[in-house]
Structure formats: structure tokens, C-alpha cells
Amino acid sequence: MSTDTDESGLDPDSIRGIFGLDFRTADTLYQLVLSLSAAFFFVLIMFPIYWMLQSSLKTRTGREAVSWLPTGETFTVEYYTDLVGSSVGTFIFNSVVVTLGTIVLVVIVSLIAGYGLARLEFGHKENFARFLLFGYMFSPIVLGLPLYLIWRNLGLLGTRVGLIVALTAISMPFSVWLMWKYIQTIPEAMEESAWVAGASRWRGFRDVVIPQTQPAIIASALFAFALAWNDYTFASILLPEQQQMTFAPGLLQLINTGYGAPWGQVMAVSMLTTIPPLLFAYFLQSYLLKGFQIRSL
């Protein structure tokens, strides 16, 4: 008789023992409890998203009366069309540029650094790799002031490039560590075979290592995406000018306009900034899990 349990820790045999039910009834009850639990957490997670969506599709008078769906009289898409050419559209464009730049830079640097840690031998390599993680001991707000002063002297203050470099520095330790551990799982003999066939170290890295590190690359990219897309602290400190502002501080500025805050537009922006992470997580979740499932050597 099976005694397997799932991630919820529920066991159909334990349910049968507690309630004195036969196996078929206990299994049905077990599946029912799982389904109800999944439905409960799905509604709990998705309800704020649903409320943002239906609020962004209602006129102001429609939002004053509580209703589950917009009616024909209250339905509108004007809040989304108003974003084109507005400051909010600029905020989202800046966020996209900063996020893509951070992802590309993090993946390239972490790949090269992780490969060097995995394949090259040098003194205190293990200590150096562990030292990288000390960067997460400091809160972004603690690093904000020093970065502000350094970036001002370097001429990077108020530029998207400066924010990309700052976010890359925050994302880098974890990504390098992840890439280092993942490349260690790739047999070095595969590269040596390419070298024997006449390939250079660079070509062996490009043709042998990079294709097999795809799950780790995607995991690093998702991690960098999450930090860059949701960043508020660095963006508000390093991009003080409105034309360079990303959506997180820009959205707060929109809310702080006072009593007449355009809540329909705020909900529309919130939806547009919520959809990309959901799509990333949904379509790339299998790669993300593979990237984190690193076998110890």
C-alpha cells in the first residue's frame, strides 16, 4: 500500500487512518483537499491582479460603485491608450531598457567569471567565491549614498547606464556563484575533446559549455530581471530626473499627486508592470528549476 506524500505533506493513508475510511474514499478525500487548497491559494494570489485589471477597465464613476466586472456603461480602455506618449510610457520604456541592459550584462559577466572559477586554478579561489556573497549583507539603501557620490564624480548620475551598472553589481554575486556551480557539473573531458579536434579554449567554451548552461543562464537572467524590474531604491537615488525615471519611483510620484490621483491610470500601469514577471515565471519555470538543481560534486 502506497505511503507517498506530496509537497503539501498530506498522505492518503494517514487520512484513511484518521477518519476510518476505505482506501478509495480516503484517496478521493485526499485529492479533494489538494484541489481545494490549490484553488484557495490560486484565488488568494490572483485576486489582487484581477482587482487591478477590472479597476483599470472602469471609468471613475464605475469604480465608485463596487462591482465584480465593468458594465457596458463603465467599461473603458482610455487609461491604457493614455499611456502612449505620456510620462508613464517613458517610465515603462526606461524600465525595459534598464532591465534588458542588466540582464545582458549579468549573463555575460557571470558566464565568463563562472567559467574562470570552474576551470582555472588560482590561489584562494574558494575564498574569493565565498567573498562574493558578502555583497548581500548590505542593504541597497546603505549602498545608495556611496554610489550616488561615485556616480556623480564619474558622470554616470542620472543616466540609465549608471543604473544598469549598479543593478548588475547587485545581481552579480549570486549569478556568478550559480554559474560556477553549474559549470562544474559539465565534464571537462567534453571540452578537452574539442581541444583535441583543434578548437581553441574560447571555441570550446562557446560550443560546448554555453549550450549546456542554458538552464543556469535563464535562472540568472530571471534573477537579474526580478531585481532590475522591481528596483525602487537605486532608481530613485541614481535617476533623479523625471525623463530618466523608471516605473517604480514614477508610479509613486503618480500616486503622490494628491486627492486627484489618476487611480485608473495607476491600475493600468500596475497591470503592465505585473504581466511581464508572470509571463517570465510561467513560461520559463522549468528552466529556472533546472538552473537551481545543481548537483554537488
Side-chain angles (χ1 to χ4, degrees):
M1 187 173 295
S2 173
T3 59
D4 294 338
T5 61
D6 70 346
E7 296 178 355
S8 66
L10 296 175
D11 182 1
D13 285 349
S14 63
I15 295 176
R16 183 168 61 91
I18 294 174
F19 294 100
L21 304 173
D22 60 80
F23 181 79
R24 180 173 297 179
T25 305
D27 185 64
T28 302
L29 180 61
Y30 169 74
Q31 296 297 331
L32 179 62
V33 171
L34 285 183
S35 300
L36 291 176
S37 301
F40 171 77
F41 285 108
F42 177 80
V43 171
L44 188 66
I45 294 171
M46 296 302 295
F47 181 78
I49 299 175
Y50 151 76
W51 198 258
M52 283 192 300
L53 177 61
Q54 64 94 20
S55 297
S56 67
L57 296 174
K58 285 182 180 179
T59 61
R60 182 171 181 175
T61 56
R63 292 195 308 275
E64 292 174 353
V66 177
S67 61
W68 294 105
L69 292 171
T71 63
E73 294 78 16
T74 61
F75 177 81
T76 182
V77 294
E78 64 175 326
Y79 299 117
Y80 290 94
T81 57
D82 289 345
L83 298 181
V84 181
S86 66
S87 59
V88 176
T90 303
F91 299 154
I92 295 177
F93 174 77
N94 291 334
S95 293
V96 171
V97 172
V98 169
T99 301
L100 291 179
T102 303
I103 290 173
V104 171
L105 198 57
V106 165
V107 169
I108 292 175
V109 177
S110 63
L111 256 177
I112 297 174
Y115 180 81
L117 287 171
R119 294 292 190 253
L120 303 180
E121 294 297 331
F122 54 90
H124 304 287
K125 182 174 72 172
E126 296 280 342
N127 293 331
F128 172 76
R130 292 189 178 94
F131 181 76
L132 288 174
L133 297 180
F134 276 97
Y136 291 114
M137 294 179 61
F138 304 98
S139 170
I141 195 65
V142 175
L143 301 175
L145 181 58
L147 279 176
Y148 179 88
L149 298 176
I150 296 171
W151 264 219
R152 186 180 61 182
N153 293 332
L154 295 177
L156 294 176
L157 187 64
T159 65
R160 289 190 289 260
V161 174
L163 181 57
I164 289 173
V165 175
L167 293 173
T168 300
I170 294 297
S171 306
M172 193 59 61
F174 172 78
S175 299
V176 171
W177 184 278
L178 175 65
M179 209 67 68
W180 169 43
K181 289 296 184 180
Y182 200 90
I183 292 176
Q184 283 183 303
T185 66
I186 302 174
E188 194 171 359
M190 299 179 68
E191 287 182 85
E192 294 173 349
S193 300
W195 299 341
V196 170
S200 62
R201 178 176 284 274
W202 161 250
R203 186 168 181 179
F205 170 67
R206 185 192 67 186
D207 296 342
V208 177
V209 176
I210 291 181
Q212 296 189 68
T213 55
Q214 186 182 39
I217 290 174
I218 294 177
S220 298
L222 283 174
F223 182 74
F225 169 82
L227 283 180
W229 188 255
N230 297 309
D231 173 68
Y232 172 79
T233 305
F234 284 155
S236 59
I237 294 175
L238 302 180
L239 295 179
E241 300 295 333
Q242 183 174 359
Q243 62 269 22
Q244 301 292 340
M245 199 174 289
T246 56
F247 81 84
L251 184 60
L252 181 62
Q253 184 185 73
L254 195 66
I255 294 175
N256 288 338
T257 54
Y259 177 78
W263 287 109
Q265 195 175 48
V266 170
M267 293 295 103
V269 176
S270 301
M271 279 303 304
L272 291 179
T273 55
T274 301
I275 290 174
L278 289 177
L279 295 179
F280 265 78
Y282 180 78
F283 289 106
L284 300 178
Q285 58 182 317
S286 60
Y287 292 99
L288 181 63
L289 294 176
K290 289 179 183 177
F292 288 129
Q293 290 174 353
I294 303 174
R295 301 183 299 272
S296 59
L297 298 178

